[in-house]
């Protein structure tokens, strides 16, 4: 029986114990002219996401989307000397800071073009050489909330 068959809707399912540690490998790398992290000003930055050759076929159809979601590993933040739990009395999970416990970034970006293993994007808030862990299509009916609210300043 294949591993996929164990998830059949007609079969009973018991979730196995989740792993204590998770090890991920990059599927792509960010390429741009930004060499140092910055807190803002990313909206017009163009980057190329260079997908590893073994994942090129996984991109089939991605060019039909206007926007994609990228999950990146903020490797420089992993070595930051300070890892605050708060910034200015706001918990780190209530900020967009890169100084998070797992150093993950999730960014919705405009997909400008796909050429082979290269995705040209705009608005990615990651510096040159940042590892990319996943690529997903942005689905407005699933990823956007018309009634989303943020705290007043």
């Amino acid at each position: 029986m294949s591993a996929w068959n164990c998830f059949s809707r007609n079969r009973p399912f018991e979730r196995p114990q989740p792993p204590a540690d998770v090890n991920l490998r990059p599927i792509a790398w960010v390429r741009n002219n930004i060499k140092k992290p910055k807190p803002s000003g990313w909206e017009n930055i163009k980057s190329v996401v260079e997908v590893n050759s073994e994942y090129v076929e996984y991109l089939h159809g991605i060019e039909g989307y206007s926007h994609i979601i990228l999950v990146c590993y903020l490797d420089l933040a992993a070595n930051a000397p300070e890892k605050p739990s708060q910034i200015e009395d706001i918990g780190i999970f209530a900020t967009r800071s890169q100084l998070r416990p797992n150093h993950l970034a999730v960014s919705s970006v405009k997909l400008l073009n796909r050429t082979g293993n290269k995705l040209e994007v705009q608005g990615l808030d990651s510096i040159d050489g940042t590892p990319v862990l996943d690529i997903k299509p942005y689905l407005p009916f699933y990823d956007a909330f018309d009634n989303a609210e943020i705290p007043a300043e």
Side-chain angles (χ1 to χ4, degrees):
M1 171 170 53
S2 76
W4 184 249
N5 286 340
C6 74
F7 295 110
S8 171
R9 292 181 190 188
N10 298 327
R11 300 189 91 135
F13 176 77
E14 186 174 322
R15 190 197 195 298
Q17 184 67 29
D21 293 314
V22 177
N23 297 307
L24 304 172
R25 295 174 57 202
I27 61 163
W29 305 91
V30 174
R31 303 292 179 217
N32 60 30
N33 293 322
I34 310 299
K35 306 299 181 199
K36 182 179 175 185
K38 58 184 189 171
S40 61
W42 296 95
E43 53 278 347
N44 294 315
I45 300 294
K46 291 183 180 175
S47 301
V48 171
V49 175
E50 198 171 276
V51 177
N52 295 349
S53 59
E54 65 264 36
Y55 298 113
V56 173
E57 69 182 61
Y58 290 48
L59 293 172
H60 180 71
I62 199 77
E63 59 278 349
Y65 294 89
S66 65
H67 292 76
I68 58 175
I69 299 170
L70 298 170
V71 179
C72 297
Y73 179 69
L74 304 173
D75 58 307
L76 293 183
N79 295 321
E82 292 183 37
K83 295 192 175 64
S85 62
Q86 295 188 345
I87 296 177
E88 298 178 13
D89 296 327
I90 298 172
I92 205 73
F93 292 141
T95 73
R96 298 285 297 196
S97 171
Q98 68 273 24
L99 299 175
R100 318 181 78 65
N102 287 316
H103 316 296
L104 296 178
V106 179
S107 302
S108 298
V109 299
K110 183 171 182 62
L111 177 59
L112 302 172
N113 189 35
R114 175 192 171 198
T115 306
N117 72 323
K118 294 181 170 82
L119 302 174
E120 185 182 358
V121 300
Q122 182 177 331
L124 177 58
D125 53 348
S126 293
I127 66 170
D128 187 60
T130 299
V132 178
L133 301 176
D134 201 9
I135 302 167
K136 298 174 182 271
Y138 178 88
L139 305 174
F141 61 87
Y142 189 80
D143 297 312
F145 297 94
D146 292 336
N147 58 350
E149 297 179 9
I150 61 172
E153 290 187 35

